[in-house]
Amino acid sequence: MKNNFNLHTLIRENIKSLKPYSSARDEYKDVAINDMIFLDANENPFENGVNRYPDPQQLTVKKVLANLKNVSEKNILLGNGSDEVLDLIFRAFCEPNKDNIITLPPTYGMYSVLAALNAIEDRKVLLSRDFQPQIPPILAAVDDNSKVLFLCSPNNPSGNSFTEEAVETLLKNFSGLVVIDEAYIDFSAQESWLRKLNEYPNLVITQTLSKAYGMAGIRLGICYASEEIIRILNNIKPPYNINELTQQKALERLQDREGVAQEIETILSERNHLSIALEEISFIEKIYASDANFILIKVDDATKRYNELIEKGIVIRNRTTQPLCENTLRLTVGTKEENEKLMKELSLISKS
């Protein structure tokens, strides 16, 4: 299949003609002038820190991200969690009851949920046994209505990264958008695909502050793409989708580069210790290599072992219902103390 990517043909017709909503802060952007009187947005005038609407374009946050990731601010869209970003992609490029997406199970479950929500067919092509994309079957599943291919790398729940060769082949041969979900990229030895953003016009990358940055509670997802794609998504996003408190907390955390780096280093060290310690547990049959902040393990009876840990006050994730994941459990890397508690209980269960 030869790539004949044309963004204009991907956009839904109603989106092409859509006139985006213009908020008060879109019409007058210079909110930094302290002596201005704002009587344009029907806000409560009494100052309490959050009585004004937030910056609808999150320019300060984007400026910090652009510097951190070495991209242009025009290549960035922020969402209320990555799920909003993904939903916007469906809304902009996938025609309900007509188009389809390609997903590669086992993978992040929200791709399928959002497809169903938007009445889009989800064509599932299983990963290989070693959790890598199978190129020929993927390309065989593609037709003229295939709009988006979702690649989760590092993958959830397997934890591994896809090979650069496989991803590059798909970018070159898939004529729709290739969305690479890099939620766990900060824990990976592989480089982010951001370095290739200007090379592939169909490349879309999503990242998040929920994992390595420890900001799951503020719900901030990030999309990197061409200026044209970002412009389309901006046209359809809610006017104030990132609240003021989220923007403030994000700025604080993004500027604490040393603190974030130290936490990532600690998680990687703990992941290594945990991987080694798990080898001593008799009922664990396989420990999968991980590029994420979790480890997938294959056990003798996943449901039994899951329930035994619940009884010990430890919650993990049972992934046994996922394709290629029979009798697997996913363990998030915790603190040193949490990991020691996990290993103690696994050891006791193993000897019982």
Side-chain angles (χ1 to χ4, degrees), residues 108-125:
Y108 181 45
M110 276 303 293
Y111 309 143
S112 293
V113 172
L114 289 169
L117 183 65
N118 287 281
I120 305 299
E121 179 190 359
D122 178 12
R123 296 188 174 179
K124 300 179 180 181
V125 181

Side-chain angles (χ1 to χ4, degrees), residues 69 71 82 86 107-108 111 150-156 160-162 164 167 171 178-188 190-197 203-213 221-224 291-294:
K69 301 292 185 177
V71 299
S82 295
L86 297 172
T107 191
Y108 181 45
Y111 309 143
F150 287 96
L151 307 177
C152 187
S153 181
N155 188 43
N156 178 12
N160 65 299
S161 296
F162 297 156
E164 183 157 338
V167 174
L171 280 165
V178 177
V179 177
I180 304 180
D181 185 340
E182 292 189 340
Y184 302 96
I185 192 62
D186 297 287
F187 306 107
S188 175
Q190 286 197 4
E191 288 186 84
S192 168
W193 280 90
L194 276 175
R195 72 193 191 282
K196 301 275 191 176
L197 192 61
L203 173 59
V204 177
I205 297 163
T206 62
Q207 294 183 358
T208 179
L209 295 193
S210 294
K211 310 302 180 181
Y213 286 84
I222 309 159
C223 176
Y224 301 96
D291 260 349
N293 67 333
F294 59 83

Side-chain angles (χ1 to χ4, degrees), residues 142-161:
V142 174
D143 63 18
D144 291 341
N145 293 321
S146 299
K147 294 296 187 67
V148 189
L149 167 62
F150 287 96
L151 307 177
C152 187
S153 181
N155 188 43
N156 178 12
S158 57
N160 65 299
S161 296

Side-chain angles (χ1 to χ4, degrees), residues 46-255:
F46 299 104
E47 181 62 46
N48 61 16
V50 290
N51 61 304
R52 300 293 181 183
Y53 284 109
D55 174 7
Q57 295 302 324
Q58 311 94 34
L59 296 178
T60 305
V61 179
K62 287 179 181 177
K63 184 176 181 180
V64 174
L65 277 170
N67 179 261
L68 181 65
K69 301 292 185 177
N70 194 30
V71 299
S72 167
E73 296 165 39
K74 294 180 180 180
N75 295 123
I76 303 174
L77 174 93
L78 301 184
N80 181 10
S82 295
D83 294 337
E84 181 182 46
V85 170
L86 297 172
D87 189 46
L88 289 173
I89 292 170
F90 276 95
R91 290 169 182 258
F93 300 106
C94 298
E95 191 68 48
N97 300 307
K98 175 184 176 183
D99 290 334
N100 65 78
I101 62 164
I102 311 291
T103 61
L104 312 180
T107 191
Y108 181 45
M110 276 303 293
Y111 309 143
S112 293
V113 172
L114 289 169
L117 183 65
N118 287 281
I120 305 299
E121 179 190 359
D122 178 12
R123 296 188 174 179
K124 300 179 180 181
V125 181
L126 289 184
L127 294 172
S128 65
R129 284 288 172 183
D130 58 350
F131 298 120
Q132 288 293 330
Q134 302 193 79
I135 306 299
I138 292 171
L139 297 181
V142 174
D143 63 18
D144 291 341
N145 293 321
S146 299
K147 294 296 187 67
V148 189
L149 167 62
F150 287 96
L151 307 177
C152 187
S153 181
N155 188 43
N156 178 12
S158 57
N160 65 299
S161 296
F162 297 156
T163 67
E164 183 157 338
E165 180 183 11
V167 174
E168 202 136 37
T169 298
L170 291 169
L171 280 165
K172 290 177 178 177
N173 290 278
F174 183 71
S175 298
L177 297 179
V178 177
V179 177
I180 304 180
D181 185 340
E182 292 189 340
Y184 302 96
I185 192 62
D186 297 287
F187 306 107
S188 175
Q190 286 197 4
E191 288 186 84
S192 168
W193 280 90
L194 276 175
R195 72 193 191 282
K196 301 275 191 176
L197 192 61
N198 294 325
E199 190 172 333
Y200 296 102
N202 59 334
L203 173 59
V204 177
I205 297 163
T206 62
Q207 294 183 358
T208 179
L209 295 193
S210 294
K211 310 302 180 181
Y213 286 84
M215 295 272 103
I218 71 170
R219 308 306 301 129
L220 188 67
I222 309 159
C223 176
Y224 301 96
S226 69
E227 289 185 31
E228 293 76 14
I229 292 173
I230 295 298
R231 188 180 304 115
I232 293 162
L233 298 177
N234 256 325
N235 284 346
I236 67 171
K237 80 170 185 66
Y240 300 110
N241 61 324
I242 310 298
N243 70 70
E244 180 64 26
L245 298 178
T246 288
Q247 293 187 46
Q248 290 176 11
K249 292 298 291 185
L251 283 171
E252 290 175 17
R253 189 59 165 157
L254 287 168
Q255 290 165 344

